[in-house]
Amino acid sequence: VYACQFFDHSWGKEIFQGKWGPGLDGGCTNFKQFEKNPHYKLEVLEGTANIFILLLQVKDKLAEENEGIGFEIYKNINDKRIGEKGILPDSIGVCAGGYQSERQVSLDIKLNKGSYFIIPTTFYPNKNLNYKLIVWHKLENKTKKITVFPFLSCLLYTSDAADERSRVD
């Protein structure tokens, strides 16, 4: 558990804002429609990367109850959505503590060269909820060979003030 986590200028950061809702929220892996959840593709193009992921619920009112949220990381195999045709591989990372009715959940993990999916979800499907996914990344050999972006049908926008890049998928 982190009381406070600092990231110096050697860390890169990607910020994604989105919304779960009908057709974009399949709930956790207990539900058949898991594949409907947003998928974010994370590629470590060389070496080993330190990754810190934070998933936040974004509420209009502070008094609103928190929903159960979480995320999982899967190895990307042939750019196929995780959960397609009921096939669900083993996850290689789950947010600390699993699904929680908290404002935020996080994970600190090291990933080797490869392609992965980060899949943020609510515990139950069909929840209308805004979220923010923040991915900090740092390669151990200090090169900039990591990419993170929405995959396929993510109807989300991304922005990163560090490189002033913006895109709509």
Side-chain angles (χ1 to χ4, degrees), residues 133-146:
L133 180 72
I134 305 172
V135 181
W136 284 272
H137 48 83
K138 179 179 180 181
L139 283 171
E140 290 184 346
N141 64 4
K142 298 184 175 133
T143 60
K144 301 286 185 187
K145 299 288 184 179
I146 296 175

Side-chain angles (χ1 to χ4, degrees), residues 121-165:
T121 74
T122 56
F123 184 78
Y124 292 106
N126 302 316
K127 297 288 183 178
N128 286 311
L129 184 64
N130 294 317
Y131 68 88
K132 186 181 287 190
L133 180 72
I134 305 172
V135 181
W136 284 272
H137 48 83
K138 179 179 180 181
L139 283 171
E140 290 184 346
N141 64 4
K142 298 184 175 133
T143 60
K144 301 286 185 187
K145 299 288 184 179
I146 296 175
T147 61
V148 186
F149 52 90
F151 179 75
L152 292 177
S153 63
C154 286
L155 302 175
L156 312 169
Y157 68 89
T158 70
S159 65
D160 186 349
D163 65 7
E164 298 179 9
R165 181 181 54 191

Side-chain angles (χ1 to χ4, degrees), residues 10-97:
S10 67
W11 286 77
K13 178 174 71 172
E14 305 294 330
I15 301 172
F16 304 92
Q17 296 183 29
K19 180 179 175 99
W20 289 299
L24 294 174
D25 176 20
C28 70
T29 57
N30 296 351
F31 300 94
K32 291 180 183 177
Q33 61 268 40
F34 176 78
E35 72 178 84
K36 292 181 181 179
N37 288 303
H39 285 47
Y40 293 88
K41 190 173 180 181
L42 184 151
E43 294 180 325
V44 179
L45 302 175
E46 63 182 46
T48 300
N50 297 300
I51 307 290
F52 186 87
I53 302 167
L54 181 67
L55 177 63
L56 299 151
Q57 297 188 49
V58 179
K59 303 280 190 165
D60 292 332
K61 299 175 186 172
L62 291 176
E64 289 182 43
E65 281 191 40
N66 290 319
E67 295 289 339
I69 62 168
F71 62 86
E72 297 189 38
I73 301 174
Y74 292 90
K75 188 82 171 145
N76 175 10
I77 301 168
N78 299 322
D79 278 344
K80 299 275 188 206
R81 289 183 72 81
I82 300 299
E84 273 186 339
K85 300 178 184 174
I87 299 168
L88 194 62
D90 292 334
S91 68
I92 60 169
V94 179
C95 57

